[in-house]
Amino acid sequence: MSCKVKICGLKNREDARTAIEAGADYLGCVFFPPSPRHVEPQNAAEVFDMIGDADVLRVGLFVDPSDDQLMEVLNHVRLDIIQLHGHETPSRVEEVRLNFGLPVMKALPIETAQDVEAARAYDKVADRLLFDAKPPKGATRPGGNAIAFDWNLLTDTSWDSPWMLAGGLNVENVKDAIAQSGCKAVDVSSGVEAEKGVKSPELIEKFIAAVKG
Ligand SMILES: O=C(O)c1ccccc1NCC(=O)[C@H](O)[C@H](O)COP(=O)(O)O
């Protein structure tokens, strides 16, 4: 089975259509106002409406959201997966899963082997894990920073929860990232953008072809 692809940070229907037609398996919308990829719920609903009955999952991305903030989005947007990309504890992950009845993908910041071990606390608690590069000091956001980590930190590791690789992936490095990490799914945002927050249809198509070709 070929590696799955999540295109994250989508803001408009045209880019969603490009990603779907190119073979994306997940579309992600960011609900984090400081991000250049932030969208309002109604905008995300338009993006996800492009999926129709295609076999593509809708991922909503949040950073330390309250239940009210999650409900505000879920009142307008049908999601298949809630992605938590903040400092959420394992018990908060479980609470969100139970309160909203949706699978949770927990993003985990990785820089060292110790970070990989710390991620074990979320295995089986979250429905899915997303290993992303630890944000640099002073970063304005916990993800979407176009930073890669040492993919060999994940080589030969085994996890109960399915997991996705993220962080600084692009057309040039994604094959190496898959080979070195052994991942079965990848996630990209910056690497398919012409500029921060502006997706490039050509890069979306080339990235997905590089993964699935
Ligand atoms: O993309 C953002 O702006 C963002 C903001 C706040 C929290 C998470 C964010 N992105 C999360 C993602 O899932 C990204 O796709 C992932 O971090 C990889 O980003 P990139 O290194 O730019 O490919």
Side-chain angles (χ1 to χ4, degrees):
M1 180 185 294
S2 76
C3 193
K4 303 283 189 188
V5 178
K6 170 177 171 252
I7 303 296
C8 196
L10 291 165
K11 295 167 65 175
N12 62 61
R13 296 163 65 88
E14 295 72 28
D15 292 340
R17 179 186 294 116
T18 300
I20 294 161
E21 290 177 353
D25 303 283
Y26 308 82
L27 302 189
C29 283
V30 174
F31 302 106
F32 181 65
S35 167
R37 302 155 186 129
H38 171 76
V39 289
E40 295 300 324
Q42 294 80 353
N43 185 180
E46 290 170 7
V47 169
F48 289 141
D49 279 353
M50 295 306 293
I51 293 173
D53 57 6
D55 188 14
V56 178
L57 296 179
R58 299 160 169 80
V59 183
L61 190 150
F62 302 85
V63 177
D64 299 313
S66 66
D67 282 2
D68 285 349
Q69 287 166 329
L70 286 163
M71 186 55 74
E72 171 57 28
V73 170
L74 289 168
N75 282 338
H76 298 87
V77 190
R78 179 164 74 81
L79 295 179
D80 298 302
I81 298 172
I82 292 172
Q83 179 176 325
L84 297 177
H85 216 112
H87 297 93
E88 303 85 2
T89 62
S91 57
R92 176 59 179 157
V93 169
E94 273 191 317
E95 187 178 59
V96 170
R97 289 180 76 243
L98 292 172
N99 289 356
F100 297 94
L102 284 171
V104 170
M105 175 156 69
K106 176 66 183 112
L108 297 156
I110 305 295
E111 184 177 20
T112 66
Q114 288 71 26
D115 297 324
V116 175
E117 279 317 300
R120 296 278 175 198
Y122 293 86
D123 200 8
K124 290 189 285 192
V125 172
D127 299 276
R128 300 166 181 253
L129 305 175
L130 182 139
F131 296 118
D132 195 358
K134 184 173 281 188
K137 293 228 179 319
T140 58
R141 52 184 183 271
N145 292 301
I147 297 171
F149 65 92
D150 178 2
W151 305 313
N152 290 302
L153 288 171
L154 296 171
T155 309
D156 298 332
T157 59
S158 65
W159 304 85
D160 291 301
S161 302
W163 58 276
M164 199 175 279
L165 181 71
L169 299 180
N170 57 48
V171 176
E172 289 74 29
N173 68 13
V174 68
K175 287 184 187 292
D176 286 344
I178 294 168
Q180 290 179 31
S181 68
C183 66
K184 300 285 186 287
V186 292
D187 166 274
V188 66
S189 193
S190 304
V192 292
E193 291 182 340
E195 59 184 90
K196 271 284 173 267
V198 181
K199 292 304 191 240
S200 157
E202 293 76 21
L203 288 176
I204 289 174
E205 291 167 348
K206 286 179 179 175
F207 183 86
I208 294 173
V211 174
K212 295 181 180 272

